[in-house]
Structure formats: structure tokens, C-alpha cells
Amino acid sequence: MKKVLLIDGMALLFRSFFATSVYNRFMYTSNGIPTNAIQGFVKHMITSMETFEPTHVVCCWDMGSKTFRTEMFDDYKANRPAPPQELIPQFDLVKEVVEAFDIPNIGLAGFEADDCLGTLAELYREEAEVIILTGDQDVLQLIKPNIKVALLMKGYGNYEVLDENGFYEKKGLTPQQLIDLKAIMGDSSDNYPGVKGVGEKTATKLLMEYQTVDGILENLSALTKSQRQKFEDSLELLHLSRELATIKCDVPVSCELNDATITIDRNKVANKFDELEFKNLHGFIDKVC
């Protein structure tokens, strides 16, 4: 059976950047271009290909900070600092490196990488097993038959791979209920509020009992007075938060499965590595060639 590895490029790039920048290791080329994030990204990408042995690979990216979510809610991700100066030139360069592997780069202005991952996963799961590689827990909502999520753990080659059963064992909820969980408890990293005063524990308990946000709202009279008040005070924000939390699986991106077949030209990759002065990464090419 075909096996597609969908890579959350932003998650890998940011993780790789901060893993070394904390020690001020930016690994400049002789032209003064920092490459620390790209080098870490390449190690993560190749290690995951070695681990999961996919037949096809696609890499998804954010295309700027303005999306339909920021249009819906001005404060969405507004608490995020601007990317560090040393990371900025690496956004375009990393895509060139992915291209050198003949792996498609997919992204669409107005949407996040997550939306591209969700759309392609939905597209491919009819004919392939799909593994989404990310460090972002939000992506767990995409788990369903033929779609697993591999969460990056510390170091290289360490993953927590979750399917529907694994997610249920971990959370006591279905992956789909994660959207409603986030709608209720909000998300401080994405900067949307949810229901003020209701945390993960209470939200999980309510969803176990009433299944969905709609189920909870239909049973407000059964909630404690304090809980009922909190939901009534936050109704508008609750519905908004649910929309913000939902990964769209129908955005207008496509990538034919055939275009994502792994066909790595060793010389092409080696030339790109030489251009960026990746002295220590040539051995990695052998792992996937």
C-alpha cells in the first residue's frame, strides 16, 4: 500500500531553529547566511523518511501571517513575536532544499500549513496510509481511519504516533472532539479565549458527558449555576473559538500523488548541500538514496 508522509514544514523549521539558537549556534555560510534551522530541518526530514519508509512525501508551509483566521479575529496569534532576524532568510532557502529532494512544497496565501495538511490528508487517505509529521498538538484533530499523526518528541527520530485508538486512550475523547475542547478552553498560544474560567479538566468532563459544544449548550440547565453562567457569558466567543480551532480540510490546494513519489537525485541534493556549505549532512543523503 502507498504510504504518504505529510510534513508540517513550519513545525520542523521552528523547532530546529530554537533547538540551536538558544546556544547562539546559527551556523553561518561564508556569505553570512544563517542555516541552523535548515540543517535541523533536513535531519528531521531524513530521519522521519528513514523511520516511516513512505512511498510519497509532501511538505506544507504557512504563507505569511495573514490568514482567514486573522480576518475573523484580529487578536488571533497577535501575541506571537516576530520571527527572529536569523530565521527570516531561512524561510525561502529551506523550500529550495526541499525542492532539491524533488519533494513538493505546498502552501496557500490566506491559509495555514495545517489547512493544507488537512486537505491533502483527506485527499490521499482513500488510496494511501497517511502519516502527518508535526510538533503541533492541534493537528491531532485530523486523525481518522488511514490518517495517523506523528508528534515530534525530544531529539531526532523520537515520535509519539497516534491513531484513533491511541488518541482516545490518551485524551478520553475522539480526535474530532479536540476541536470542541479547544473551543471551550481557548488557546493561549493562538491567543483566542474560549469560555472564560473553564479549563481543560472541566471541558473534557463536559464533552465526555455531552459529546459536543452543541450538546453542552442544549443541556445548560443540567450544568452547575457557575458553569451555566460562564457559557452564557461567552457564547459568541465560544462559537468564534470553535471556528478558529477547526482545521479546514477543503482549501483549494492539490498535489497529485504521483508528483509526491520519492525520487531523490543524489547529485542534485549534494550540490544544494555544497552550495549551503552543509559539510556534516552529506552522510544523511545515503540514508534515503
Side-chain angles (χ1 to χ4, degrees):
M1 186 173 177
K2 294 170 186 165
K3 189 193 279 190
V4 188
L5 181 65
L6 289 180
I7 296 175
D8 181 346
M10 302 310 291
L12 266 65
L13 192 70
F14 272 87
R15 174 176 285 246
S16 301
F17 179 82
F18 289 112
T20 48
S21 66
V22 70
Y23 306 110
N24 280 328
R25 291 206 297 266
F26 296 110
M27 305 169 196
Y28 294 95
T29 64
S30 48
N31 295 334
I33 299 166
T35 60
N36 65 318
I38 303 170
Q39 294 199 48
F41 173 93
V42 168
K43 286 182 194 171
H44 276 302
M45 181 175 80
I46 290 177
T47 305
S48 67
M49 288 165 71
E50 206 186 358
T51 303
F52 298 113
E53 300 180 324
T55 52
H56 302 72
V57 183
V58 180
C59 202
C60 294
W61 302 95
D62 289 348
M63 303 297 280
S65 57
K66 297 278 177 242
T67 66
F68 76 94
R69 292 182 181 87
T70 54
E71 283 177 25
M72 283 169 58
F73 186 55
D74 281 346
D75 288 338
Y76 181 74
K77 290 192 177 177
N79 56 338
R80 301 262 177 111
Q85 213 51 44
E86 294 86 357
L87 181 56
I88 293 167
Q90 300 188 63
F91 286 132
D92 288 333
L93 270 181
V94 72
K95 291 181 191 133
E96 289 179 23
V97 172
V98 171
E99 220 169 87
F101 280 86
D102 288 316
I103 291 171
N105 286 306
I106 301 291
L108 185 64
F111 297 94
E112 294 180 42
D114 291 0
D115 302 309
C116 298
L117 291 167
T119 300
L120 293 178
E122 200 55 51
L123 195 67
Y124 298 147
R125 78 183 183 95
E126 300 303 327
E127 52 175 321
E129 180 191 344
V130 179
I131 297 172
I132 303 174
L133 178 67
T134 184
D136 182 357
Q137 301 261 347
D138 296 352
V139 175
L140 295 169
Q141 66 182 260
L142 298 175
I143 294 171
K144 54 173 67 172
N146 267 4
I147 301 176
K148 293 177 185 164
V149 170
L151 289 172
L152 292 159
M153 307 303 279
K154 207 171 168 150
Y156 292 102
N158 300 315
Y159 313 100
E160 182 180 19
V161 183
L162 292 169
D163 58 9
E164 286 179 297
N165 290 339
F167 181 85
Y168 188 80
E169 278 171 31
K170 184 177 175 165
K171 293 275 191 186
L173 299 171
T174 66
Q176 192 62 25
Q177 285 177 301
L178 180 60
I179 299 169
D180 285 10
L181 179 68
K182 288 198 64 180
I184 298 166
M185 60 184 267
D187 186 319
S188 56
S189 80
D190 286 346
N191 203 38
Y192 57 84
V195 176
K196 201 171 167 56
V198 179
E200 183 171 7
K201 203 172 168 185
T202 303
T204 301
K205 188 164 168 279
L206 291 172
L207 285 171
M208 283 175 167
E209 194 163 349
Y210 301 111
Q211 305 308 311
T212 62
V213 160
D214 295 332
I216 294 168
L217 296 178
E218 282 162 19
N219 289 280
L220 280 181
S221 57
L223 271 51
T224 66
K225 192 180 172 190
S226 160
Q227 287 172 348
R228 184 164 68 244
Q229 190 67 55
K230 285 169 184 169
F231 274 90
E232 285 170 349
D233 290 347
S234 300
L235 270 185
E236 209 175 305
L237 284 172
L238 173 61
H239 291 302
L240 173 69
S241 295
R242 181 158 55 167
E243 271 190 82
L244 294 171
T246 304
I247 293 174
K248 285 179 83 67
C249 293
D250 58 356
V251 304
V253 293
S254 66
C255 174
E256 291 296 324
L257 208 44
N258 283 346
D259 296 335
T261 307
I262 295 175
T263 52
I264 297 167
D265 178 335
R266 198 186 191 295
N267 290 336
K268 194 171 165 185
V269 175
N271 289 340
K272 194 69 190 174
F273 282 10
D274 287 341
E275 183 193 318
L276 293 170
E277 300 167 25
F278 291 172
K279 298 180 184 69
N280 304 323
L281 288 188
H282 282 275
F284 271 81
I285 309 175
D286 298 329
K287 296 182 177 195
V288 285
C289 281

